[in-house]
Amino acid sequence: MSLSILNNVNLAQYTSWMIGGDADHFCLPTTVDELKEALAFAKQNQLPITILGGGSNVLISDKGIRGLTIGLRRFSEISTEIRDGRLHINCLSGTAKSELLKVFLKNQMGPALFLAGLPGDVGGGVVMNAGVAEMFTPREFMEMVDSIDVMTIDGEIKELQKSDLKISYRHTDGWQPHIVMRVRLSWPYERKPEILTQVREANKIRLSKQPLDMPSCGSVFKNPEGYKVAQLIDQCGLKGYRIGGAQVSTKHANFIVNVEEAKAADAWNLILHVQKTVKEQKGVDIVTEVIRLGDW
Ligand SMILES: Cc1cc2nc3c(=O)[nH]c(=O)nc-3n(C[C@H](O)[C@H](O)[C@H](O)COP(=O)(O)OP(=O)(O)OC[C@H]3O[C@@H](n4cnc5c(N)ncnc54)[C@H](O)[C@@H]3O)c2cc1C
C-alpha cells in the first residue's frame, strides 16, 4: 500500500469554516490507483465512506465522522485541448476551481469571470452545481460540463454523460452513490481580451460585499423562489446575531462567520435560529445550501 491512511485526524483544517471534529480514518489520495486503494481499505474494514472536496460547503459535526473520510484536495490533474472550435478540459475531481480559472484566464475566455472567487474543487462544483447571482455566462458550473467519470465502491470506473445527470439549483443528482472522479468540460474557444480587467473588477466587488477575511462556508441558505435570502435575514435584524463563536456576518446576512473558535453546534444552532426567525417574521421557509457531514 502506498497510500497512507491516518487515524483520528481533525477535519477543521480541511474546511473553509475551520470547524469540525475528527475523522476516524483519513486519507488524501493523489492518483486514481490511490483512490482505488482507499476504497479497497474501506471495503475490507467495512467502513462507511465520506468524501471531502475543497471543504468549502460543509459543516462537519463536533463528534466527527465515522469510517473513512477521503479528502480529494490532492487528487488533482488537468489537461486541455482545442478541438472543433472549443476548449476541452479534462481534470481529476480534486483539481481546484482556481486551476480551472487559470486555464480560462490564460486563454482569455468568458468562464474566467464566472470562476473568479469560487472556492473548492471541480468535483464539489459538480455535486453542488455551484453558481453565481450575477448574470454571467456561464452562471452555473454544470453549464460547462460534458461528462464525468465516477468510481464505484468496488473501484470500477463508469462514464456518465451530462444527459445522465439531473441538474438543478445548487444540486446535481445521478452520480450517487459513487464518487465523482473525473470531470470533462468544454467551452467555445472565443478570446475576450477584456476578461482580465473584468475578473479584477468582479474580485473587488466580491471583496466589498462578502466577509472574505473570515472563515465561512459562503452562502449558508439557498434563495427561496422569488426571494433573496440575504435580504430576508437582514430584514429580520439578524446581522451580527451570535451563538458561541458563530455569528451572522455584519457584511453579508447569508454568511455565518467563525469569529472565535466556533463549534459545529454553534453554527448549527445559529442556522436553526435564523430559519425559525425568518419563518416567524417573514413566513418563508429557508433551507440550507451547506451540507452537514458526520455524526449529529
Ligand atoms: C467564501 C466562499 C464563497 C463561496 N461562493 C460561492 C458562490 O458564489 N457560489 C456557489 O455556488 N458556492 C459558493 N461557495 C460554496 C462552495 O465553494 C461551493 O459549493 C463549492 O462548489 C463546493 O466545492 P467543494 O469542493 O469545497 O465541496 P465540499 O464542500 O468539499 O463538498 C460539498 C459536498 O459535495 C460532496 N463532494 C465533494 N466532492 C465530491 C466528489 N468528488 N464526489 C462525490 N461527492 C463529493 C461532499 O461530500 C459534500 O457533500 C462559497 C464558499 C465560500 C467559503
Side-chain angles (χ1 to χ4, degrees):
M1 270 245 212
S2 56
L3 176 69
S4 78
I5 297 181
L6 306 170
N7 298 331
N8 305 320
V9 174
N10 186 258
L11 294 174
Q13 60 186 313
Y14 294 103
T15 74
S16 58
W17 228 342
M18 307 292 285
I19 293 177
D22 293 1
D24 286 354
H25 308 278
F26 182 69
C27 63
L28 287 165
T30 58
T31 62
V32 171
D33 282 345
E34 285 188 358
L35 181 59
K36 270 188 198 167
E37 266 184 51
L39 294 174
F41 173 85
K43 197 171 178 190
Q44 237 167 35
N45 296 285
Q46 296 183 320
L47 301 173
I49 290 166
T50 301
I51 302 295
L52 197 56
S56 65
N57 212 9
V58 289
L59 179 58
I60 295 176
S61 162
D62 296 319
K63 294 181 197 148
I65 304 182
R66 305 288 75 80
L68 176 66
T69 301
I70 304 177
L72 290 179
R73 59 178 53 196
R74 291 194 197 147
F75 189 64
S76 170
E77 185 186 274
I78 187 162
S79 63
T80 62
E81 181 194 357
I82 298 166
R83 184 169 25 94
D84 305 328
R86 294 176 78 84
L87 176 70
H88 293 262
I89 304 173
N90 185 326
C91 46
L92 290 180
S93 58
T95 305
K97 291 191 193 72
S98 57
E99 291 300 313
L100 208 53
L101 167 66
K102 278 187 209 160
V103 167
F104 283 119
L105 269 182
K106 195 172 144 208
N107 288 281
Q108 301 183 319
M109 289 171 64
L113 191 54
F114 163 73
L115 288 162
L118 269 192
D121 63 27
V122 169
V126 169
V127 170
M128 301 303 303
N129 189 19
V132 293
E134 295 84 354
M135 297 305 284
F136 294 157
T137 308
R139 204 179 169 197
E140 290 188 336
F141 199 85
M142 288 305 291
E143 286 176 56
M144 301 184 289
V145 173
D146 295 326
S147 66
I148 63 173
D149 284 351
V150 293
M151 188 178 276
T152 69
I153 185 86
D154 295 316
E156 196 190 324
I157 297 168
K158 287 185 184 168
E159 182 171 350
L160 298 177
Q161 298 305 313
K162 187 179 194 165
S163 53
D164 297 323
L165 302 171
K166 194 163 167 251
I167 299 160
S168 55
Y169 169 56
R170 302 292 184 272
H171 191 70
T172 300
D173 269 325
W175 54 270
Q176 300 95 333
H178 313 302
I179 295 169
V180 177
M181 188 201 93
R182 184 179 291 284
V183 182
R184 294 180 201 84
L185 313 96
S186 71
W187 198 256
Y189 187 62
E190 290 157 10
R191 290 177 87 96
K192 299 187 174 181
E194 68 282 10
I195 206 75
L196 184 57
T197 317
Q198 290 177 343
V199 164
R200 284 205 186 110
E201 198 48 40
N203 283 342
K204 266 193 223 157
I205 294 172
R206 253 188 195 255
L207 202 57
S208 71
K209 289 188 176 165
Q210 300 180 353
L212 299 180
D213 54 339
M214 306 188 96
S216 79
C217 71
S219 295
V220 175
F221 300 99
K222 295 185 186 186
N223 284 319
E225 190 84 37
Y227 295 96
K228 290 241 184 274
V229 70
Q231 273 173 13
L232 293 173
I233 299 169
D234 194 5
Q235 286 162 7
C236 291
L238 287 166
K239 268 187 174 172
Y241 192 93
R242 182 171 167 174
I243 294 182
Q247 184 182 43
V248 177
S249 165
T250 50
K251 202 167 182 181
H252 191 307
N254 197 19
F255 276 57
I256 288 179
V257 286
N258 178 357
V259 283
E260 201 185 351
E261 293 174 19
K263 296 279 166 213
D266 299 337
W268 184 242
N269 286 331
L270 189 50
I271 285 171
L272 295 177
H273 178 76
V274 171
Q275 279 177 323
K276 184 167 164 276
T277 310
V278 170
K279 178 70 180 170
E280 277 168 9
Q281 293 195 21
K282 297 285 172 186
V284 182
D285 287 307
I286 56 173
V287 298
T288 53
E289 180 179 318
V290 67
I291 310 278
R292 281 200 303 169
L293 297 180
D295 264 8
W296 286 85

